[in-house]
Amino acid sequence: MKPMNFSLCASCLCVVFYGSAAVYGDYCVLSQSPVVTLHFGVETPPSDPNTAQTIPAAHTDIEIPLRFSGWDVHIKTDRPASDTRIETEQAYFALGTEHRFAFQGAVPPAFAFIGAAPGETFWYYDQGQPPAPGVDSQDMTAAEHNALCLWDPNDPTRNANAPGRWLRVNLVEVRGPEDGHLAMWQEAGASPTVFFSTFDGGITESDVFYIPAGQHTHNNWAFTRPGRYEVELQISTYIRCDAALTADINGDCRVDWADFALLAAHWLRDACAGQPDCDRADVAESGQVDINDLLELATQWLLCGSPFESECPQSNRSKISVSD
């Protein structure tokens, strides 16, 4: 079926609900980056100094663009040269004695998420002090930007509760020293907005950071034990697909065997008007699943409706306009 639980259409705008997120567009599907790993060392050298590139004390960002050629997550730093690119598997964020911090007296309740006891040392990257890594989603062309769907994460606790072309950064896994915890947050005065915290309950679906395409921000990072940390992230967003790809029955932005299987499962079923119980296998919208639907599927066979090469091989791409 098309990737939606419920939809309301008015004029040309369709509002599609994915769980708690509302996605606005004619036809939108989820796109996820490969899992990428960031490497941090707390008073610990990299395991292989010959291949690791230690990030200098300069403005540094985790770049997360989705280009037409695919996801391009990497590290960018202003030193030794402006806009120096470093691949995530080579970048090494080193925290030293200058990053030590401890709460004197009781831990402020608003900062208990860090996982440090009173007087206990933890290591802290301040969001205003390089090389604390920020997140940058600015490096996309206007066409790439417009190929993303508008959607609302509906997450006011993380300042993401309005329609936009959001990119979502999920914390997938943290490997590090025993009893070591990771936290990432932003501060406005004394009120932190927490995005990642492994201290209370481990990694959950709440360990997520949102940023609209075309924006840039910086975050605080904290680690509670010395040692090496491998922090796995995955980026996702919703992308526009060609609404003319009507034979994409299962809603993955391509026409293939998965769609044929759904059509076969409903073969010759009638009473499909409005497609309430035919899993959208009534492609021709005739009220039943028959040869007309099979012919339409055959006409679109192996076509893909995404403008992004990571989702579609060039040879099989259907035509789509990415301008609003």
Side-chain angles (χ1 to χ4, degrees), residues 173-226:
E173 186 175 355
V174 177
R175 294 182 293 273
E178 185 176 1
D179 297 328
H181 292 291
L182 160 75
M184 187 188 83
W185 72 100
Q186 290 176 352
E187 289 180 41
S191 178
T193 299
V194 183
F195 303 110
F196 301 160
S197 172
T198 62
F199 171 63
D200 188 9
I203 298 172
T204 71
E205 62 183 12
S206 297
D207 291 295
V208 60
F209 172 76
Y210 299 97
I211 185 170
Q215 291 196 14
H216 166 259
T217 186
H218 277 269
N219 305 310
N220 301 286
W221 298 74
F223 304 83
T224 61
R225 294 288 184 273

